[in-house]
Amino acid sequence: MEDFEIQSLLSEEMDKNNAILTIHPGAGGTESQDWAQMLLRMYLRWSEKHQFLTKIIEHQIGDEAGIKSATILISGAYAYGYLKSEAGVHRLVRISPFDSNKRRHTSFAAVLVCPEIEDTINVEIKDEDLKMDTFRASGAGGQHVNKTSSAVRLTHLPTGITVSCQNERSQHKNRSIAVKVLKARLYNLKMMEKERKLEDFIGDKKGITWGSQIRSYILQPYRVVKDHRTGLDISNVDAVLDGDIDSFIKAFLHKK
């Protein structure tokens, strides 16, 4: 009955689609890059528990630890409907493992979630609006990947949105996947603009934006995960970081 209730809340047009999830660390160098990798692991573990398929589209390793950015495709029924609750800024408070003085640090990472767009939905991208750069893939990948400029970065000039793909062997395949991610980002941007107009109409000025802090993961001086939108607190921080985020997702859907 609980699962049926949650599915009844997932009634928006794109809720049933696959999800494209992107993680970017905030300012703070190694600290925030390590936090971004912890979030990536959390979402991969959540997907595994729900038997969703995951494919890493783009993954840039940090200089010392963690990641500079990552984009993953999560495939499964209602993947976007569940994960749209995760979009926003996530805050971590802990004793830094990179600080020899064992001081407490606060790190931020931003999560962006878009639905994978089906071919039947038309999102127009003009060729003159696209700038394409090619570069060599970073990290492990074998002789071919590292010696050819197969990785692709697309910039949509009117909006400034940039997407990258480097995990396929051919430049053509990487460009095709990058275009698909860009379409999803542009569609999501349109939906957010519509949502903001509706919020202005009903008088609610507070929306989910790129700069909003949605959740805090506090490991020091006490241990708790707090969701600032729903007021839900969970003290089992280890379980949450291990992918047990369903309580936050359900609370968000009920509130929305």
Side-chain angles (χ1 to χ4, degrees):
M1 284 299 294
E2 189 179 355
D3 289 342
F4 177 76
E5 182 188 18
I6 292 299
Q7 292 225 353
S8 71
L9 295 171
L10 299 173
S11 57
E12 294 181 2
E13 183 184 7
M14 291 293 161
D15 283 350
K16 66 183 184 300
N17 289 29
N18 300 332
I20 297 171
L21 187 145
T22 302
I23 303 171
H24 288 291
T30 304
E31 284 289 338
S32 58
Q33 289 175 15
D34 186 56
W35 171 224
Q37 186 169 37
M38 290 168 66
L39 284 173
L40 175 61
R41 178 186 179 276
M42 183 178 81
Y43 292 122
L44 290 173
R45 292 302 301 272
W46 178 85
S47 302
E48 184 183 323
K49 289 176 181 179
H50 285 267
Q51 298 182 332
F52 288 170
L53 297 175
T54 57
K55 180 179 181 181
I56 295 179
I57 295 173
E58 182 252 353
H59 185 256
Q60 291 189 46
I61 300 170
D63 295 327
E64 294 180 37
I67 57 172
K68 292 180 178 177
S69 70
T71 301
I72 55 175
L73 171 65
I74 301 172
S75 303
Y78 294 95
Y80 173 69
Y82 289 119
L83 288 170
K84 66 185 180 184
S85 65
E86 298 302 297
V89 174
H90 296 246
R91 171 177 171 255
L92 174 70
V93 181
R94 64 172 174 175
I95 298 293
S96 170
F98 307 101
D99 187 340
S100 58
N101 294 318
K102 302 298 179 185
R103 289 171 296 190
R104 195 166 67 204
H105 284 251
T106 300
S107 307
F108 295 89
V111 176
L112 178 67
V113 186
C114 304
E116 184 184 31
I117 303 301
E118 298 166 356
D119 293 335
T120 54
I121 294 173
N122 183 33
V123 177
E124 185 182 6
I125 300 177
K126 298 176 182 176
D127 289 339
E128 59 265 28
D129 290 342
L130 280 184
K131 176 190 173 188
M132 187 176 91
D133 299 305
T134 58
F135 55 99
R136 291 182 183 178
S138 62
Q143 186 177 11
H144 172 82
V145 172
N146 292 323
K147 288 198 173 181
T148 61
S149 296
S150 58
V152 170
R153 182 185 297 109
L154 292 180
T155 304
H156 187 246
L157 298 175
T159 60
I161 292 174
T162 301
V163 297
S164 302
C165 183
Q166 63 181 40
N167 280 31
E168 299 295 335
R169 289 174 64 87
S170 78
Q171 190 181 105
H172 177 72
K173 282 185 179 178
N174 280 327
R175 188 185 190 281
S176 177
I177 293 172
V179 167
K180 196 167 192 177
V181 174
L182 179 59
K183 283 185 176 182
R185 293 278 298 273
L186 289 172
Y187 180 86
N188 197 53
L189 187 66
K190 284 184 180 178
M191 292 300 102
M192 287 175 69
E193 286 172 354
K194 282 185 180 178
E195 202 168 285
R196 274 197 288 268
K197 286 178 183 175
L198 179 62
E199 284 169 354
D200 289 343
F201 177 72
I202 63 176
D204 182 4
K205 300 295 182 184
K206 186 180 178 185
I208 299 173
T209 60
W210 184 252
S212 66
Q213 182 178 303
I214 65 165
R215 195 177 299 150
S216 294
Y217 305 71
I218 302 170
L219 307 185
Q220 188 70 26
Y222 51 90
R223 295 173 66 82
V224 68
V225 182
K226 296 182 175 183
D227 194 289
H228 302 296
R229 301 160 302 174
T230 63
L232 178 63
D233 293 359
I234 294 180
S235 58
N236 192 346
V237 179
D238 294 331
V240 172
L241 292 175
D242 207 31
D244 190 4
I245 58 173
D246 285 335
S247 296
F248 292 117
I249 291 172
K250 289 173 183 176
F252 173 83
L253 291 173
H254 277 293
K255 186 176 176 64
K256 196 165 190 291

